[in-house]
Amino acid sequence: QVKEWTVDAAAAYDIISSGINAEYGGLRCDGRRPQEMRKLKSELGVSEGPDGSAIVEQGYTKVLVSVFGPHECVNRNLRDHEKAIIRCSYNLASFGSGVRKKKMVSDKKSTEVGVMIQNTFEAAVMLDKFPKSQIDIYVQVLQGDGGERCVAINATTLALINAGIPMKDYVCACAATVYQDSVLLDINHLEESSRGPLFMLAVMPRTESIVQLQLDHRLHNDHLDKVVKETIQGCRNIQVLLDRQVKEWTVEAAAAYDIKPRV
Amino acid sequence: AVVSTQSTGSGGSMEVVRAPHKRTRVIASQDEDLEKHIVTPGDVITQNLDFMKSHGTTLGNGHISSTVAGAIHKVDKLVSVRSVSSRYRGEVGDIVVGRITEVQQKKWKVDCGSRLDCQLQLSSVYLPGNVLRRKNLNDELMMREYFSEGDLICAEVAEVGNLDGMLKIHMRTHEKYGKLPEGLLIKVPSVLIKRSKLHFHRLPCNATVILGSNGFVWVGPHFIPEQPIEAISMTLRETIARLGNVIRALAAYGVQLFDTIILTGYDISLKYKVKELLKPEVMEHIAQESYEHSQHQTL
C-alpha cells in the first residue's frame, strides 16, 4: 500500500519539531544535524546524444539534465544578433514523486521553474560569444525528495560544463529553512511541506555573487543574515564536491583526446 | 545499463538483462602532471595581468580565470584554456560532411554540427556536367533541383566569419564534392578526426569512407558525383554496416580515426557478426586491439 506522501503542513511541522528536540540529540527527521547536507553524487556525460549531460543526486532527489548547443537558433523571432539565447524545459517525471503524476502536459509550476533556471544561467553563461545561437536545457527530475530546483541548477551547471559552454563560474544552489532560530540546510520533502520559510539561493561561489533568490512562505527579518550566510556556505560545499567530479572527468577526457597542457 | 532480450530458439539460453558495462578509456593518462594544469570554470589561472587572454578565459577581479573545463595553454604572453569538449570550430580548408537544412535565396544552409549552420553559396557550386559558370535567374529558381532539404553533401570550408564564426563552404572540384548518395552517416566527436591530406578514402572492401573534419563520417559505396550508382548488393550493405559499427566502436573509446585504423578494426571485426559489433564488450575489444595495432605500426 502506498504511504500518504503529501503531508499536512501542521503534521509535517510536528514531525520536524519532534526531531530537532534536545531529547533526540538535536537531529532532524532523517538523522542529519541542522547544517549537515545530504550526500551528493554526480556524474558527467551520461547521455551520448546531447552535447552535455549530467545526473546529480542529493539524498534521494535525482535530476538528469541534457544540454544541446550552442546551435543555430531556428526561431527567427527569438534570434538575437548579439548573443545566444537559452531555452529551458523543466519536467518532473510521472514516477518522480510519491504520488504518480497524472498530467503529462507541462503545468504552470514546471514552466515557472524552467524560466527561473533560464534566468539563472543567462547571468552565468558567456552568451555574447555565440551570437544568433541557441542553447537548449532539458531538465528531467527522476526522483523528487525536496530541493528539486536546487539539484536541477547544480545538474545544469555540470551539463553545461560537459558541453564545453563557457561560464563565468559554477552556479550552485541550496535551499534552507529556519526552525526555532536554527538554520536547516538542504531540506528534504518533509521539511519543505511544513509551514516554515523556504529559502533558495543560487550563487557563483568563487565570486560570491547571488544569481537567484527564491523565498516561499515568510521569513523573519532577524533570521535573514544568518540564513543567507549559511546557505552561501552550503553552496560553497556543493561547489567543492562538483568540482572534484568535473576535474576527474576532465583529466580522463584530456588524456583520451590528447589535449596536452602547455605551461 | 544494457537491457537485451535474445532468445536463441527452443531450449536456447535467454539473455534478459545485462549488468551495466563500465566504459574504461582505451588510452590512459600518461602524464602525472596533467592534473595540475587542468582548470574548471571560475578557477584562477594567473594573477598576472600582463598576459593576454584568449579562448576559454575571462578577466575577473584582478585575475584571469577559466571559463571552460580543460588544459591551460601558455605561449609567451598568451594564455588560453583548451576545452575538453566543444562543438566543431571550422578552419579554412577543412573537408566537411553536412546536411542541407534550408534553401534560401542564392544560398543553402547546411548543418555541420558547429555553433551556427554553414552557408553554401549558389555561386560556389558546380552545375551538373562539371560546369562552373555565372548563375542566372533560372538557376536560382532551380536550386531545389540541385540540393534540397535533407540531402547530405561533402564540401570544403572556404571562409570563417570574423564576428560569429559562421562557416562558408564551397565545392572546389567536381570529383570529390557534391551530393552524397545512399550511405551511412555516423556522428563522432570532431576532436577524433585528425586533419590530414586525405579525407576521402576508397577502401579495398568496395566501400568509401569520408572523414569529415566536423565529426560527420559518411560510409557508402564507391561513387562518382552526378552519376547514378548501381543497386547496392547485400554483401556491400553488410560491409558498409560493419564499417559503420567499427567506426562507432573506435569513437566510443576515444580512438583517433583515420583510414588505416578503420581498416585494422574492420579486419579484427570479421570474426564477429555485424550485429554483435554493437555489444559493449566487443566494441571495447575492437577499440583496444586497433589502438594497440596502430601503436605497434608507428614504432
Side-chain angles (χ1 to χ4, degrees):
Chain A
Q1 200 174 9
V2 177
K3 268 201 196 150
E4 190 58 62
W5 181 252
T6 44
V7 185
D8 172 49
Y13 196 72
D14 288 339
I15 294 172
I16 295 167
S17 56
S18 67
I20 305 182
N21 274 328
E23 342 171 351
Y24 292 92
L27 298 176
R28 292 147 82 173
C29 54
D30 53 7
R32 285 186 287 154
R33 282 165 302 215
Q35 267 109 57
E36 189 180 331
M37 305 194 59
R38 294 181 285 186
K39 181 173 175 181
L40 190 142
K41 275 198 288 181
S42 59
E43 205 184 324
L44 280 104
V46 290
S47 312
E48 280 186 23
D51 290 300
S53 57
I55 288 186
V56 174
E57 274 183 73
Q58 280 179 242
Y60 289 120
T61 303
K62 188 170 178 172
V63 178
L64 162 71
V65 173
S66 308
V67 165
F68 290 86
H71 62 89
E72 177 95 16
C73 186
V74 282
N75 194 333
R76 279 190 203 218
N77 298 329
L78 297 170
R79 192 185 292 184
D80 190 332
H81 279 263
E82 280 161 37
K83 56 181 175 40
I85 63 162
I86 296 183
R87 307 199 71 192
C88 178
S89 148
Y90 173 92
N91 191 35
L92 171 66
S94 51
F95 49 82
S97 60
V99 175
R100 189 177 177 84
K101 182 175 99 168
K102 282 188 187 147
K103 264 193 283 183
M104 287 309 287
V105 186
S106 63
D107 49 295
K108 271 192 202 164
K109 183 162 177 275
S110 299
T111 323
E112 195 187 307
V113 179
V115 172
M116 186 268 287
I117 296 179
Q118 177 190 322
N119 289 336
T120 308
F121 285 95
E122 272 171 4
V125 173
M126 327 236 24
L127 294 173
D128 43 7
K129 295 237 158 97
F130 317 115
K132 300 186 218 155
S133 308
Q134 181 178 325
I135 298 172
D136 300 318
I137 302 173
Y138 292 96
V139 180
Q140 181 82 295
V141 177
L142 301 172
Q143 276 172 219
D145 182 35
E148 291 92 354
R149 287 177 296 182
C150 306
V151 184
I153 289 179
N154 295 333
T156 308
T157 302
L158 288 189
L160 287 169
I161 295 176
N162 187 220
I165 295 174
M167 295 202 291
K168 292 185 194 136
D169 192 1
Y170 281 74
V171 180
C172 298
C174 187
T177 190
V178 181
Y179 173 75
Q180 282 188 355
D181 284 351
S182 68
V183 178
L184 309 184
L185 273 187
D186 202 3
I187 42 193
N188 59 24
H189 177 84
L190 204 55
E191 288 160 349
E192 260 181 23
S193 314
S194 77
R195 281 173 302 191
L198 183 57
F199 184 81
M200 184 198 98
L201 265 191
V203 302
M204 295 205 275
R206 257 73 74 94
T207 52
E208 288 205 5
S209 34
I210 296 174
V211 191
Q212 185 73 233
L213 190 153
Q214 301 243 308
L215 176 63
D216 293 321
H217 308 304
R218 277 175 291 187
L219 174 69
H220 199 286
N221 199 20
D222 290 351
H223 297 143
L224 183 64
D225 286 331
K226 200 170 31 174
V227 169
V228 169
K229 185 168 145 239
E230 293 297 336
T231 316
I232 290 181
Q233 183 56 41
C235 293
R236 267 199 227 115
N237 297 341
I238 290 177
Q239 190 268 324
V240 169
L241 290 173
L242 294 180
D243 195 39
R244 215 178 278 172
Q245 188 66 41
V246 171
K247 286 227 159 77
E248 202 183 291
W249 167 76
T250 311
V251 168
E252 247 194 40
Y257 295 143
D258 204 26
I259 294 174
K260 294 198 184 80
R262 194 174 155 177
V263 190
Chain B
V2 173
V3 176
S4 71
T5 47
Q6 271 177 346
S7 61
T8 52
S10 58
S13 63
M14 184 109 117
E15 220 177 293
V16 178
V17 172
R18 196 184 279 149
H21 181 91
K22 174 103 178 117
R23 187 170 287 170
T24 50
R25 299 278 180 181
V26 159
I27 307 165
S29 170
Q30 282 153 5
D31 185 5
E32 288 92 41
D33 284 339
L34 187 61
E35 268 198 60
K36 285 194 224 150
H37 304 303
I38 293 288
V39 282
T40 52
D43 274 353
V44 173
I45 301 175
T46 174
Q47 308 264 12
N48 187 356
L49 291 176
D50 274 345
F51 279 99
M52 257 173 38
K53 56 175 195 62
S54 179
H55 294 299
T57 54
T58 188
L59 201 59
N61 228 350
H63 55 238
I64 295 178
S65 59
S66 167
T67 59
V68 290
I72 305 177
H73 219 247
K74 275 188 198 162
V75 180
D76 289 338
K77 284 289 181 180
L78 190 70
V79 68
S80 67
V81 179
R82 294 183 63 197
S83 170
V84 145
S85 84
S86 74
R87 286 225 157 193
Y88 169 62
R89 206 182 271 142
E91 277 176 34
V92 177
D94 280 349
I95 311 279
V96 294
V97 170
R99 206 179 274 279
I100 307 278
T101 55
E102 262 186 77
V103 181
Q104 292 180 353
Q105 210 179 23
K106 288 198 209 165
K107 64 174 185 255
W108 291 273
K109 281 292 189 108
V110 182
D111 168 32
C112 308
S114 56
R115 289 179 188 148
L116 290 174
D117 285 349
C118 311
Q119 258 184 21
L120 174 62
Q121 304 274 23
L122 176 59
S123 50
S124 46
V125 160
Y126 277 80
L127 292 172
N130 202 5
V131 174
L132 185 66
R133 59 170 169 80
R134 208 186 164 96
K135 313 290 192 293
N136 52 32
L137 189 61
N138 207 24
D139 296 315
E140 252 183 78
L141 297 171
M142 298 252 291
M143 274 178 78
R144 223 174 228 104
E145 308 279 319
Y146 309 138
F147 307 124
S148 66
E149 290 91 341
D151 284 342
L152 270 181
I153 57 153
C154 177
E156 191 193 14
V157 176
E159 247 183 76
V160 179
N162 263 327
L163 294 169
D164 49 15
M166 180 157 66
L167 304 175
K168 283 214 178 111
I169 56 178
H170 67 178
M171 298 177 178
R172 205 183 47 186
T173 55
H174 197 56
E175 288 85 50
K176 292 186 287 190
Y177 306 126
K179 182 154 68 176
L180 298 175
E182 297 155 356
L184 198 63
L185 179 74
I186 301 155
K187 293 185 188 177
V188 306
S190 59
V191 77
L192 293 179
I193 311 268
K194 285 202 306 192
R195 288 202 168 96
S196 72
K197 285 213 176 98
L198 273 180
H199 283 261
F200 195 98
H201 304 286
R202 289 180 164 238
L203 300 181
C205 43
N206 269 332
T208 299
V209 172
I210 305 179
L211 295 168
S213 297
N214 56 337
F216 285 27
V217 176
W218 183 86
V219 187
H222 290 319
F223 72 97
I224 301 165
E226 301 302 327
Q227 289 204 8
I229 48 168
E230 48 195 34
I232 306 174
S233 65
M234 233 2 235
T235 37
L236 184 54
R237 281 173 202 263
E238 260 200 58
T239 313
I240 292 173
R242 186 180 287 277
L243 276 172
N245 285 344
V246 165
I247 291 170
R248 282 196 191 99
L250 293 172
Y253 286 87
V255 178
Q256 293 252 313
L257 293 173
F258 42 93
D259 58 343
T260 47
I261 205 168
I262 294 174
L263 277 174
T264 314
Y266 180 80
D267 291 331
I268 296 168
S269 78
L270 283 171
K271 67 180 189 208
Y272 299 102
K273 283 192 230 165
V274 182
K275 63 182 180 181
E276 283 179 347
L277 295 175
L278 291 172
K279 289 188 191 170
E281 314 87 64
V282 177
M283 283 169 89
E284 184 176 357
H285 172 233
I286 291 179
Q288 186 92 45
E289 271 204 40
S290 310
Y291 179 68
E292 277 167 16
H293 199 87
S294 74
Q295 293 294 86
H296 284 309
Q297 286 202 322
T298 51
L299 283 171

